[in-house]
């Protein structure tokens, strides 16, 4: 199993920056890819961006050019650097790890961290 703990959320004014962290523990060698999702008030959970074990990244169109996903494999930690934040970026941000083992493929989620962007 994999345990994920997010941190770094908070309240920030529009135009500001935040950096989220997601620390993984447990069977980290089984992790293939990690990703950030978010869920805004009254909205469905959506993909923000992700990174593979090889470092390939992908982003939602709404955050391209503003957000950067990175991964420190030595620290088993993924980061989300968020710049030029907008009120519509408000939501709970979740970390997800996609893993593979002899039993199959499994996804693990963190508990989420709140990001609030004021206008």
């Amino acid at each position: 199993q994999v345990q994920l703990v997010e941190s770094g959320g908070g309240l920030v004014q529009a135009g500001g920056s935040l950096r989220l962290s997601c620390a993984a523990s447990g069977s980290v060698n089984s992790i293939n890819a990690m990703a950030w999702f978010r869920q805004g008030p009254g909205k469905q959970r959506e993909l923000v961006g992700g990174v593979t074990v090889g470092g390939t990244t992908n982003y939602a169109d709404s955050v391209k050019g503003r957000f950067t996903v990175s991964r420190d494999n030595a620290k088993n930690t993924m980061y989300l650097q968020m710049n030029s934040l907008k009120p519509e970026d408000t939501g709970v941000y979740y970390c997800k790890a996609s893993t593979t083992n002899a039993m199959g493929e499994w996804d693990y989620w963190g508990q989420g961290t709140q990001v609030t962007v004021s206008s």
Side-chain angles (χ1 to χ4, degrees), residues 8-14 17-18 85 90 114-119:
L11 173 65
V12 64
Q13 289 188 333
S17 299
L18 280 176
L85 282 161
T90 293
Q114 176 71 45
V115 171
T116 302
V117 184
S118 63
S119 57

Side-chain angles (χ1 to χ4, degrees), residues 18-24 33-36 48-59 67-82 95-96:
L18 280 176
R19 188 175 86 151
L20 306 184
S21 299
C22 172
M34 299 181 74
W36 290 98
V48 174
V51 59
T52 67
V53 66
T56 301
T57 56
N58 66 292
Y59 299 94
F67 290 11
T68 302
V69 178
S70 61
R71 183 172 173 176
D72 186 334
N73 290 329
K75 295 183 179 180
N76 298 318
T77 301
M78 176 178 64
Y79 303 97
L80 179 65
Q81 178 65 44
M82 305 185 291
C95 170
K96 187 184 88 167

Side-chain angles (χ1 to χ4, degrees), residues 4 7 9 13 30 40 43 51 58 63 81 84 94 108-109 113:
L4 302 171
S7 61
Q13 289 188 333
S30 67
K43 299 181 181 179
V51 59
N58 66 292
V63 306
Q81 178 65 44
S84 302
Y94 298 91
Y108 296 91
W109 292 86
T113 185

